[in-house]
Amino acid sequence: MGPKVISLIVNGRLHHVALAPNVTLLEALRELGYMDVKNGCEKGDCGACAVLLNGLAVNSCLALAWQADGAEIITCAGLGTTEHPHPLQTAFADLGAIQCGYCTPGMIIAAKALLDHNPQPTEEEIREAISGNLCRCTGYGQIVDAVTAAAQMLRHAEGRAPG
Ligand code: FES
Ligand code: FES
């Protein structure tokens, strides 16, 4: 089967790309310039390539780009900006949860998926949610602390939201 044109909506931006059926979503995203999606193992073991696909965290190395045709994809960089970072991005930076940084985008995506359905996770639930994401640097303690702090920030912000 030859290439076909598919639509990828990445961080709110629509791309039309012609891709062969065997191109992974990871390859497609990096080819489009989304270099925050890291290529760690290409076999589902490290979580460095995680993105939100229609709201669910997936390892993009295990998905084919064709499977994401028309889907909404959010990468870590799409969660916030330098001026307005997402609370997870702020907490990771402030609490020493980023060292070499290679695991960070995938970790933050896994944490975002958790907090979207569980705004007040226990430490055990956080560790479970990031269990598919490998970090060689931090020992995970700072990452758990950062997710806990971000959850608090988000609950606080929601409590103050009008309406
Ligand atoms: S690169 Fe996808 S899980 Fe490691
Ligand atoms: S900060 Fe280096 S792998 Fe996690």
Side-chain angles (χ1 to χ4, degrees):
M1 207 180 296
K4 79 169 176 183
V5 176
I6 63 166
S7 304
L8 298 175
I9 306 157
V10 189
N11 299 340
R13 188 166 164 214
L14 175 62
H15 300 271
H16 298 293
V17 279
L19 294 173
N22 61 344
V23 174
T24 67
L25 182 57
L26 170 63
E27 291 168 329
L29 290 171
R30 288 181 62 86
E31 190 63 33
L32 285 168
Y34 296 94
M35 304 305 274
D36 57 312
V37 185
K38 299 300 181 196
N39 183 349
C41 66
E42 286 187 291
K43 55 189 171 97
D45 286 342
C46 75
C49 65
V51 298
L52 293 175
L53 183 65
N54 287 337
L56 294 177
V58 301
N59 287 331
S60 60
C61 68
L62 295 183
L64 294 171
W66 279 22
Q67 294 172 308
D69 189 6
E72 187 176 349
I73 298 154
I74 306 284
T75 76
C76 182
L79 295 178
T81 62
T82 310
E83 294 76 27
H84 299 288
H86 187 278
L88 278 164
Q89 295 165 328
T90 302
F92 269 64
D94 289 352
L95 296 176
I98 304 173
Q99 290 185 22
C100 82
Y102 207 81
C103 70
T104 307
M107 282 288 182
I108 288 180
I109 287 294
K112 173 77 166 65
L114 170 68
L115 298 186
D116 281 348
H117 73 268
N118 181 357
Q120 196 163 359
T122 63
E123 176 178 341
E124 196 181 351
E125 288 168 334
I126 295 170
R127 287 187 182 274
E128 168 67 25
I130 62 168
S131 61
N133 297 74
L134 300 184
C135 178
R136 292 172 184 271
C137 306
T138 64
Y140 300 96
Q142 297 100 314
I143 290 172
V144 172
D145 290 347
V147 177
T148 304
Q152 281 170 353
M153 278 189 258
L154 285 162
R155 291 198 306 275
H156 185 66
E158 276 192 6
R160 297 173 77 188

